[in-house]
Amino acid sequence: MKIFLFAIFSLFPLLLLNRIESKGLHKHPTHAVTPPRGWNSYDSFCWTISEEEFLQNAELVSKRLRAHGYEYVVVDYLWYRRKVPGAYTDSSGFDVIDEWGRMVPDPDRWPSSKGGKGFTEVAKKVHSMGLKFGIHVMRGISTQAVNANTPILDTSKGAAYIEGGRKWTARDIGMTERKCVWMPHGFMSVNTKLGAGKAFLRSLYEQYAEWGVDFVKNDCVFGDDLDIEEISYVSEVLSKLSRPILYSLSPGTSVTPAMAKEISGLVNMYRITGDDWDTWGDVAAHFDVTRDFAAAKMIGSSGLSGKSWPDSDMLPLGWLTDPGSNEGPHRKCNLNINEQQTQITLWAMAKSPLMFGGDMRKLDDVTYNLITNPTFLEINAFSSNNQEFPFITGSHPSKSNPSFHSTQKKNIRNSHTSSLALVSCKEIKAKGWLVESVDQDLDQVCWKDNFETNEAAPFCIYKRKSQVTLGEELYATQYDGKSHLLETTDAAFCIDASPRQRLTSKEFRRGSSSPCKRDANQMWELNMNGTLANSYSGLCATVKTVEANAVPGGIRSWVATGRRGEIYLAVFNLNQGKTTITTDLSNIAKVLPGIKTGDVSKCREAWSSQDCHINRGSISMDVGAHGAALLVLTNNSASSNVVSFSFSSGYRVQING
């Protein structure tokens, strides 16, 4: 009964907000007052999901997860692609578009879309389940629409867009030089400086609202693929719709807080890493980036008609498929129970949106208990002051004379490599490029700033002084003063600004190269302030020294406060063996001013449901390899009705007396 009452009262604010929205008591309800929760089809179905499979999953989300605050069910990418031989994630010519060049559901996979209904019937069924319906969309306009040169719809007139006495078409607005780099056969940017470009984007999102869409995940517009013009205009369109639509951005390779601050007020959630899959490397890669966003006060900052949240990506737990697959779910999650607990504990402490990715039809009890754990959900939705906690030490418990180390200390690696990465041009670390002449035909563009080691040789690329032959006037005008950059002095391979495949979270964004062509992602401009700006995203190149073949390791910790006076302390063991992690509770006051840890009288570990008795303010935990411990600390005046489920997590809690 206590568990039931706790769950009801914990979720009451969310349920009340949903009730207000469903009754339409105000035109623009506050969006994303807490990190959004839901289910997304990508991890389990990739792009191949059908209407029947989607609705089966939605019904189970409604029955099993809705009471725990999971309210969105989202169809991920390529719902408009025909599932036939030859079709895959970057194939060409297999998409279904309407007469205005807009993507519509594949009628073979989504039979209720026939007759021009789009997702209307699916959305109605989802809403009848008490859920909200979401879709994934790509940047700009499809290559297929540009090739077909479809007219553009003027939604204010219900007819073709006419300006300057002529009818505008897809070829007028499609920017072929700014294709989505990881899906070049699929989509490209539209020119939002043109009235016709704006009209096309407006026709897309007004159609989504007509279908009953509540959530849009906009891909290939952020991170390395930043398209600030599209994000800004889409946000403007959404703010004017009578139907509220939550706005999400994906993916987020190379995102920094400085870059995110330019868009956070325009959206409700935005990815801060590449794709997260069920590998330990992907999980471990999130610790640094989530720390940085918490330190920058980006968690729960102002967003579109509400708040915005840094998004660590979906939870790839349960029954899954493989990235880029042409088949549905067929395997179990590769993470062990320690690693799964570590992932969702970090997602909770960092207050990331929670989008479960496993097939609901094969949801096992262990996974279900993980994603519905009341303490986990309480922290994710209602905790505050969330931040990394550096005052911990660790040692191997098997050693008789342990050597303690702090998370502040850097591990020494023998091997390093320098790689290109992209950052906002406003960041200091974007400045450091200098030009030196090699000969009469070639310049050397070198990075000579912010090296971590004095022994490192300058990172250099090359620019030919004679411009590449420009066969088109548009191309010559667009890239006046901008150049290709070469990998070596004699190569015909140019540096690309964005990876040509979707990277996972653990993969560092490395400068790539390919045969020189007239693409914006290969065009660079060296500015007087020492920045090297790219024409595709408007971001600037920087050089990072990367530890070669480094296996993520060490210990980490986060701290937060609860709405009833609790203190949440999470510790993580990223090492490959069991590690004893120790902290003094008095250190919490150093990062949480006003907190009196001397009043703490109760300690409970959430994943094991073990009580821990605090003596002399020091707590030590033997935490298993890749595992986590989540402590809930309370005092006599704080509510102690914090409950959790029990799991075997491979650690014990001991008290230093």
Side-chain angles (χ1 to χ4, degrees):
M1 177 61 71
K2 287 184 178 180
I3 295 177
F4 175 77
L5 291 175
F6 175 77
I8 292 296
F9 283 108
S10 295
L11 294 171
F12 181 76
L14 294 176
L15 297 174
L16 178 60
L17 180 66
N18 293 343
R19 181 73 172 173
I20 291 174
E21 291 186 10
S22 65
K23 293 297 183 181
L25 298 185
H26 47 72
K27 182 178 179 181
H28 284 292
T30 301
H31 279 186
V33 291
T34 58
R37 295 180 197 164
W39 178 86
N40 182 290
S41 63
Y42 180 65
D43 287 346
S44 46
F45 291 90
C46 193
W47 66 276
T48 65
I49 194 167
S50 67
E51 181 173 338
E52 180 181 14
E53 292 166 329
F54 178 78
L55 291 176
Q56 288 172 350
N57 275 270
E59 185 174 3
L60 290 168
V61 170
S62 178
K63 290 180 178 179
R64 305 195 65 185
L65 298 183
R66 184 166 68 98
H68 301 279
Y70 291 83
E71 59 177 336
Y72 293 98
V73 285
V74 182
V75 182
D76 213 88
Y77 74 157
L78 304 184
W79 35 267
Y80 36 80
R81 185 151 297 173
R82 295 187 182 276
K83 189 180 177 182
V84 295
Y88 56 94
T89 53
D90 188 33
S91 55
S92 177
F94 295 95
D95 296 339
V96 185
I97 60 177
D98 67 10
E99 61 181 309
W100 306 108
R102 301 177 298 183
M103 315 310 294
V104 293
D106 168 24
D108 293 330
R109 286 192 289 143
W110 303 89
S112 71
S113 69
K114 294 177 181 177
K117 294 182 179 179
F119 275 125
T120 303
E121 297 302 318
V122 171
K124 286 180 180 178
K125 291 180 180 179
V126 167
H127 295 155
S128 71
M129 300 174 190
L131 300 173
K132 296 179 180 179
F133 176 62
I135 60 173
H136 173 290
V137 300
M138 292 293 295
R139 79 187 299 159
I141 190 170
S142 72
T143 303
Q144 198 157 318
V146 172
N147 290 341
N149 201 27
T150 54
I152 295 166
L153 175 64
D154 184 341
T155 55
S156 65
K157 299 178 179 179
Y161 183 85
I162 297 176
E163 183 182 357
R166 71 182 183 93
K167 183 186 297 185
W168 291 69
T169 65
R171 288 180 188 168
D172 296 321
I173 64 170
M175 304 177 72
T176 56
E177 74 283 357
R178 293 192 63 187
K179 298 175 182 176
C180 176
V181 177
W182 59 266
M183 194 189 285
H185 294 102
F187 291 85
M188 65 188 73
S189 292
V190 298
N191 190 341
T192 55
K193 293 181 174 62
L194 299 174
K198 292 181 178 179
F200 178 77
L201 290 176
R202 189 166 58 248
S203 74
L204 292 180
Y205 287 86
E206 289 183 359
Q207 177 173 253
Y208 303 151
E210 291 172 2
W211 286 347
V213 170
D214 307 291
F215 179 109
V216 170
K217 176 181 175 182
N218 197 5
D219 208 333
C220 203
V221 293
F222 193 43
D224 286 346
D225 304 297
L226 181 67
D227 191 334
I228 191 70
E229 291 84 5
E230 178 165 333
I231 295 170
S232 299
Y233 187 67
V234 169
S235 181
E236 179 184 334
V237 171
L238 292 177
S239 69
K240 296 177 180 178
L241 293 176
S242 59
R243 179 179 192 81
I245 296 179
L246 189 145
Y247 191 24
S248 169
L249 303 183
S250 172
T253 312
S254 299
V255 169
T256 62
M259 184 193 303
K261 285 179 179 179
E262 297 186 46
I263 57 86
S264 60
L266 304 172
V267 303
N268 301 112
M269 49 189 279
Y270 51 91
R271 281 269 297 282
I272 56 176
T273 67
D275 287 356
D276 176 70
W277 279 94
D278 53 331
T279 70
W280 172 244
D282 273 8
V283 175
H286 284 78
F287 280 88
D288 284 350
V289 67
T290 51
R291 172 203 61 201
D292 294 344
F293 276 81
K297 308 299 182 184
M298 298 296 289
I299 297 175
S301 59
S302 296
L304 174 62
S305 301
K307 294 185 178 182
S308 67
W309 305 91
D311 178 14
S312 294
D313 201 14
M314 294 168 285
L315 295 169
L317 309 175
W319 197 248
L320 308 170
T321 189
D322 299 300
S325 175
N326 271 23
E327 64 175 314
H330 62 271
R331 63 174 179 84
K332 294 181 180 179
C333 173
N334 288 320
L335 299 174
N336 62 38
I337 186 61
N338 279 10
E339 294 165 343
Q340 292 181 47
Q341 288 177 355
T342 291
Q343 178 166 32
I344 66 172
T345 301
L346 180 61
W347 264 236
M349 297 299 289
K351 301 197 72 169
S352 171
L354 302 178
M355 292 291 169
F356 176 57
D359 187 351
M360 288 295 300
R361 300 171 304 178
K362 298 193 69 171
L363 179 60
D364 60 279
D365 290 342
V366 172
T367 304
Y368 174 76
N369 289 337
L370 279 171
I371 64 175
T372 61
N373 179 278
T375 305
F376 158 67
L377 296 177
E378 170 73 18
I379 294 171
N380 177 259
F382 301 115
S383 60
S384 57
N385 301 309
N386 305 63
Q387 59 191 288
E388 189 172 72
F389 179 66
F391 301 102
I392 59 173
T393 57
S395 66
H396 296 294
S398 60
K399 294 182 178 179
S400 59
N401 185 22
S403 174
F404 289 96
H405 62 274
S406 168
T407 55
Q408 298 271 2
K409 295 180 180 178
K410 293 184 178 180
N411 294 326
I412 298 176
R413 300 286 202 275
N414 294 322
S415 179
H416 296 79
T417 183
S418 295
S419 295
L420 281 176
L422 297 176
V423 296
S424 169
C425 294
K426 298 177 182 179
E427 295 192 43
I428 295 177
K429 59 185 175 181
K431 301 174 182 179
W433 294 98
L434 297 175
V435 177
E436 297 179 350
S437 180
V438 176
D439 55 39
Q440 61 180 0
D441 295 322
L442 193 69
D443 281 341
Q444 185 174 246
V445 183
C446 295
W447 177 261
K448 294 188 176 181
D449 200 20
N450 297 332
F451 271 138
E452 294 183 6
T453 61
N454 294 329
E455 296 81 9
F459 182 97
C460 295
I461 45 185
Y462 303 91
K463 181 185 76 169
R464 295 205 177 279
K465 296 177 183 177
S466 55
Q467 293 294 309
V468 176
T469 302
L470 304 176
E472 300 175 14
E473 182 179 352
L474 174 64
Y475 182 74
T477 302
Q478 177 123 11
Y479 297 116
D480 182 33
K482 303 179 183 180
S483 306
H484 282 129
L485 297 177
L486 307 177
E487 194 173 45
T488 63
T489 59
D490 57 355
F493 285 82
C494 289
I495 300 296
D496 289 334
S498 181
R500 293 189 172 273
Q501 61 179 1
R502 295 185 71 162
L503 297 182
T504 59
S505 296
K506 67 180 177 181
E507 292 176 302
F508 183 82
R509 225 309 280 158
R510 300 180 183 278
S512 57
S513 60
S514 60
C516 298
K517 57 181 65 174
R518 301 170 183 178
D519 285 349
N521 68 297
Q522 289 189 346
M523 304 306 297
W524 302 85
E525 182 174 17
L526 184 65
N527 298 310
M528 295 295 292
N529 64 355
T531 58
L532 190 61
N534 179 255
S535 297
Y536 173 70
S537 62
L539 298 174
C540 282
T542 188
V543 172
K544 291 185 177 181
T545 301
V546 184
E547 296 167 345
N549 301 317
V551 176
I555 57 175
R556 307 296 279 266
S557 179
W558 277 64
V559 69
T561 54
R563 56 178 169 163
R564 295 182 302 277
E566 309 95 328
I567 300 171
Y568 299 114
L569 178 64
V571 295
F572 304 91
N573 175 22
L574 278 60
N575 296 311
Q576 297 184 31
K578 183 181 291 187
T579 300
T580 300
I581 302 176
T582 302
T583 187
D584 291 328
L585 296 183
S586 60
N587 288 323
I588 293 177
K590 296 178 181 179
V591 297
L592 298 176
I595 295 294
K596 297 180 180 180
T597 55
D599 295 337
V600 172
S601 58
K602 296 181 180 180
C603 174
R604 188 171 181 81
E605 202 289 315
W607 297 120
S608 65
S609 294
Q610 294 179 354
D611 289 325
C612 42
H613 306 286
I614 302 170
N615 289 327
R616 302 179 187 178
S618 180
I619 297 180
S620 291
M621 290 147 281
D622 286 352
V623 183
H626 299 173
L630 178 57
L631 304 185
V632 183
L633 309 172
T634 57
N635 55 42
N636 290 328
S637 62
S639 171
S640 60
N641 294 324
V642 179
V643 295
S644 59
F645 295 97
S646 178
F647 299 95
S648 175
S649 53
Y651 59 78
R652 63 184 175 86
V653 178
Q654 64 183 28
I655 307 303
N656 290 346

